């Protein structure tokens, strides 16, 4: 099966699951078809799916992944002992684990092709990631608390695991409690990564996007929490601060130079 045939199969399968989706016309251009597939994956609820679909989806996503420039930890140079800074797409980063800035439902972003990192990670990983998160939440029977962390497989991502954490949402001014909760996010992920035997972990800029935590303050908390943990635990866990925006890169570059 060619990549184009896989794309067509996946779109028509997902459309066939819902009467309302059957009315959607499939565009002629491949780029638009890819957008449609991602949208259909984003809105799909966590329900059972056939193994045939998953096999074809995995082949499709892995082929898409091979088109990216995958970056390994060995491709990077540390800016401090055990700490790296890298600007780029976290779904192209090959570390033991990457951190997802999740919402408290922990099921990924349901907004089609939304620009958040939660959407990007779930879209690149595949439908299995939402299904595993759903099983975790069904067992938990409550919303995910702010500042905690859960770990899942990474499926079609180049990393091995995804760690999901819910950061504080800033509605007005930042409080001391908000700062403490953001530090808890980083600490919880570090502790969980160590407990699961991970040797490297890439952090996104937790809470700074849709949750409106000020970028500079968030970076200060992130760096301080990671450095304190590395010093106290002596675990050897290597950390990548992954940034996407130029603004965040300049902030982390400056703070890590001190």
């Amino acid at each position: 099966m060619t990549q184009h045939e896989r794309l067509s199969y996946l779109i028509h399968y997902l459309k066939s699951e819902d009467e309302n989706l059957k009315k959607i016309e499939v565009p002629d251009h491949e780029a638009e078809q890819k957008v449609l597939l991602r949208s259909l994956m984003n809105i799909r609820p966590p329900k059972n799916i056939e193994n045939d679909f998953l096999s074809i989806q995995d082949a499709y996503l892995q082929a898409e992944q091979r088109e990216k420039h995958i970056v390994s930890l060995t491709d990077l140079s540390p800016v401090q002992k055990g700490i790296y800074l890298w600007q780029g797409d976290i779904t192209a980063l090959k570390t033991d684990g990457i951190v997802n800035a999740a919402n408290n439902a922990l099921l990924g972003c349901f907004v089609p092709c939304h620009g958040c990192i939660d959407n990007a990670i779930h879209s690149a990983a595949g439908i299995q990631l939402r299904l595993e998160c759903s099983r975790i939440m069904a067992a938990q029977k409550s919303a995910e608390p702010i500042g905690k962390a859960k770990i899942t497989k990474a499926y079609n991502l180049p990393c091995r695991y995804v760690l999901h954490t819910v950061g504080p949402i800033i509605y007005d001014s930042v409080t001391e409690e908000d700062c403490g909760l953001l530090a808890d996010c980083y600490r919880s992920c570090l502790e969980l990564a160590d407990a699961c035997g991970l040797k490297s972990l890439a952090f996104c800029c937790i809470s700074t996007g849709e949750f409106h935590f000020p970028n500079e303050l968030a970076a200060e908390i992130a760096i301080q929490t990671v450095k304190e943990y590395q010093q106290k635990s002596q675990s050897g866990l290597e950390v990548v601060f992954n940034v996407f925006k130029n603004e965040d890169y300049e902030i982390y570059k400056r703070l890590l130079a001190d």
Side-chain angles (χ1 to χ4, degrees):
M1 186 178 282
T2 67
Q3 191 70 341
H4 181 74
E5 289 169 339
R6 294 184 186 114
L7 177 59
S8 178
Y9 169 88
L10 296 172
I11 288 173
H12 285 91
Y13 182 103
L14 293 175
K15 282 182 56 184
S16 71
E17 289 188 305
D18 188 317
E19 285 296 325
N20 294 321
L21 299 179
K22 290 179 181 179
K23 305 171 187 175
I24 296 175
E25 292 187 9
V26 179
D28 294 329
H29 298 292
E30 185 175 355
E32 294 174 339
Q33 291 174 9
K34 289 183 176 182
V35 171
L36 175 58
L37 173 60
R38 178 169 175 172
S39 299
L40 292 170
M41 292 172 66
N42 292 159
I43 66 174
R44 186 183 189 274
K47 58 184 180 180
N48 291 336
I49 196 162
E50 293 177 0
N51 288 331
D52 285 349
F53 174 92
L54 295 178
S55 296
I56 294 171
Q57 174 214 244
D58 291 351
Y60 174 81
L61 291 177
Q62 288 165 24
E64 290 293 293
Q65 194 69 247
R66 287 192 292 271
E67 295 298 313
K68 297 180 181 180
H69 176 59
I70 303 301
V71 176
S72 300
L73 196 66
T74 53
D75 299 321
L76 306 178
S77 298
V79 292
Q80 293 187 17
K81 184 179 179 181
I83 295 179
Y84 301 76
L85 174 61
W86 181 68
Q87 183 177 17
D89 177 3
I90 200 169
T91 69
L93 195 53
K94 190 176 182 180
T95 49
D96 279 355
I98 62 172
V99 173
N100 177 31
N103 57 55
N104 66 4
L106 218 71
L107 297 178
C109 173
F110 284 84
V111 179
C113 298
H114 192 252
C116 68
I117 195 166
D118 198 12
N119 190 295
I121 287 173
H122 275 262
S123 297
I127 280 174
Q128 299 98 314
L129 183 55
R130 178 168 285 168
L131 295 175
E132 183 176 355
C133 288
S134 178
R135 292 192 293 270
I136 290 171
M137 297 306 286
Q140 183 166 291
K141 298 179 181 178
S142 62
E144 179 69 3
I146 296 173
K148 303 298 182 182
K150 295 289 190 298
I151 189 168
T152 63
K153 296 177 183 177
Y155 299 99
N156 294 292
L157 291 161
C159 60
R160 295 171 57 210
Y161 298 98
V162 179
L163 283 75
H164 308 260
T165 190
V166 182
I169 301 174
I170 306 304
Y171 295 101
D172 191 8
S173 57
V174 181
T175 65
E176 286 188 18
E177 181 183 11
D178 294 325
C179 294
L181 287 169
L182 184 59
D184 287 344
C185 289
Y186 285 91
R187 197 175 300 109
S188 295
C189 289
L190 292 163
E191 291 171 351
L192 183 56
D194 262 337
C196 294
L198 277 63
K199 300 301 181 185
S200 58
L201 182 64
F203 281 103
C204 62
C205 300
I206 302 167
S207 276
T208 59
E210 296 295 313
F211 287 8
H212 307 296
F213 207 106
N215 298 61
E216 177 109 10
L217 180 56
E220 292 173 358
I221 292 169
I223 292 170
Q224 180 182 347
T225 306
V226 166
K227 291 175 74 170
E228 285 179 355
Y229 180 84
Q230 287 178 327
Q231 291 167 3
K232 290 179 180 178
S233 68
Q234 297 294 310
S235 69
L237 179 65
E238 296 190 288
V239 169
V240 180
F241 288 114
N242 165 246
V243 299
F244 191 74
K245 298 178 181 178
N246 292 335
E247 174 190 2
D248 289 314
Y249 180 79
E250 294 302 324
I251 290 171
Y252 272 89
K253 184 179 178 181
R254 173 168 43 80
L255 293 175
L256 288 167
D258 295 340

